[in-house]
Amino acid sequence: MGMKWFGRVILLLYAVLITAPLYFVVVSSFKTTQRFFASPLGWPKPFTFGNFSGIFKGQTMWKYFFNSVEVTLGTVIIELALGSLIAYALFRFGGIIAKIIFGLFIAGLIVPSQVNMLPIYSLTHKLGWSDHLYGLVLVSVAMLMPLTVFMLKGFMQVLNKEILEAGSIDGASEWKLYARIALPLSAPSLAATATFLFVMVWNDLLIPMLLINSKSKLTLPLAMLQFRGEYVTDYPMLLTGVVITAIPMVVMFLFLQRYFVAGVMAGSLKG
């Protein structure tokens, strides 16, 4: 009984740690600047939606929003397409070569992304990809591929090989086995991986800061830095931007929650 209550207390403390910053961000987005500095933790008096209307005043912030959508969707789609093909090939054919290739992808997870910043900047500049959204997509795909392959390979390990063998005996090509059997059976795993990738790319600040120079090509996280001045920071507007940035992730998780949980459970049942 004592351990049961101890676990509940730990969960309660964890919930408070999660809820308190969320409360601060959401409530502050409905405050004026004066009210924010007068009472940072207090309730908005009065509630104001001026920050939300102000942040999208004109077309600039909408442009940043759709830049983020373009980069995130492009990265996730390409990532899943290539990552699922690689993971399927490693799972399907196995052998020492597959183990070596998979080990190289694992090695890509060990190296911190910050270590690669200088080579990435130099390479993208030489290829003419810098300050282009497609360059940002390609770099993001390359940097996240080890994680994608690692996740999907683990998920595909639970696929029933007998189904694939039966399809092969019936004359189905490897492409058909992949497209008509492996992918549909891996749908929950793909949804779980897509959720992880979406959050990572949507919130990414480091790579856009490294590659993007033009103001018209900023992504939302990078655009949020505009609310930080040299001498003063517009915190209510900045936190309003944080709320707006979080909304697509919340909506996506609500729609994919069932598949996300199923995919995570599938990966945990490996072996």
Side-chain angles (χ1 to χ4, degrees):
M1 181 63 70
M3 290 301 298
K4 183 177 181 180
W5 278 103
F6 177 76
R8 291 179 178 178
V9 171
I10 295 298
L11 290 176
L12 179 61
L13 292 175
Y14 180 74
V16 172
L17 290 175
I18 296 298
T19 306
L22 182 62
Y23 164 84
F24 175 75
V25 170
V26 174
V27 169
S28 297
S29 66
F30 293 99
K31 294 180 181 180
T32 62
T33 303
Q34 294 78 5
R35 178 61 183 171
F36 175 84
F37 284 106
S39 180
L41 300 178
W43 197 250
K45 292 181 181 180
F47 263 86
T48 176
F49 291 90
N51 294 326
F52 289 91
S53 60
I55 202 171
F56 282 108
K57 188 177 181 179
Q59 301 297 321
T60 306
M61 194 57 68
W62 283 111
K63 176 65 176 176
Y64 302 152
F65 179 84
F66 286 114
N67 285 346
S68 283
V69 170
E70 181 180 344
V71 170
T72 303
L73 291 183
T75 301
V76 172
I77 291 172
I78 297 174
E79 194 78 33
L80 290 180
L82 295 179
S84 61
L85 277 170
I86 296 171
Y88 175 78
L90 295 176
F91 155 72
R92 183 80 171 113
F93 301 108
I96 186 65
I97 300 299
K99 292 181 179 179
I100 293 175
I101 295 174
F102 186 63
L104 292 176
F105 279 106
I106 297 299
L109 292 174
I110 299 174
V111 180
S113 58
Q114 292 82 357
V115 176
N116 301 320
M117 291 297 100
L118 185 58
I120 288 174
Y121 178 81
S122 177
L123 179 62
T124 54
H125 182 72
K126 291 179 180 178
L127 294 175
W129 292 357
S130 58
D131 205 28
H132 291 285
L133 293 181
Y134 69 81
L136 186 55
V137 170
L138 293 175
V139 171
S140 299
V141 168
M143 295 190 70
L144 291 173
M145 190 58 69
L147 175 63
T148 303
V149 172
F150 175 76
M151 293 181 65
L152 292 180
K153 173 68 161 49
F155 291 140
M156 286 191 176
Q157 289 294 120
V158 302
L159 293 180
N160 191 336
K161 288 188 176 182
E162 295 180 356
I163 298 178
L164 297 174
E165 294 296 338
S168 181
I169 292 174
D170 289 340
S173 64
E174 286 296 336
W175 173 254
K176 288 185 177 180
L177 293 176
Y178 162 77
R180 298 185 180 182
I181 298 178
L183 278 187
L185 291 177
S186 301
S189 306
L190 291 171
T193 305
T195 304
F196 277 113
L197 294 174
F198 186 94
V199 172
M200 295 180 71
V201 178
W202 184 265
N203 287 331
D204 188 30
L205 178 63
L206 183 60
I207 301 178
M209 186 181 294
L210 181 71
L211 300 181
I212 300 300
N213 298 318
S214 301
K215 188 175 180 180
S216 62
K217 297 176 183 177
L218 298 180
T219 57
L220 268 181
L222 199 54
M224 291 299 102
L225 297 179
Q226 295 183 102
F227 299 113
R228 186 185 63 183
E230 183 178 358
Y231 300 106
V232 64
T233 299
D234 191 346
Y235 288 106
M237 191 69 75
L238 177 62
L239 295 174
T240 301
V242 172
V243 172
I244 293 173
T245 302
I247 289 175
M249 293 185 292
V250 174
V251 172
M252 180 181 181
F253 182 79
L254 290 176
F255 277 102
L256 297 179
Q257 182 180 11
R258 179 164 60 94
Y259 299 102
F260 177 79
V261 174
V264 172
M265 290 298 295
S268 67
L269 294 175
K270 175 184 173 182

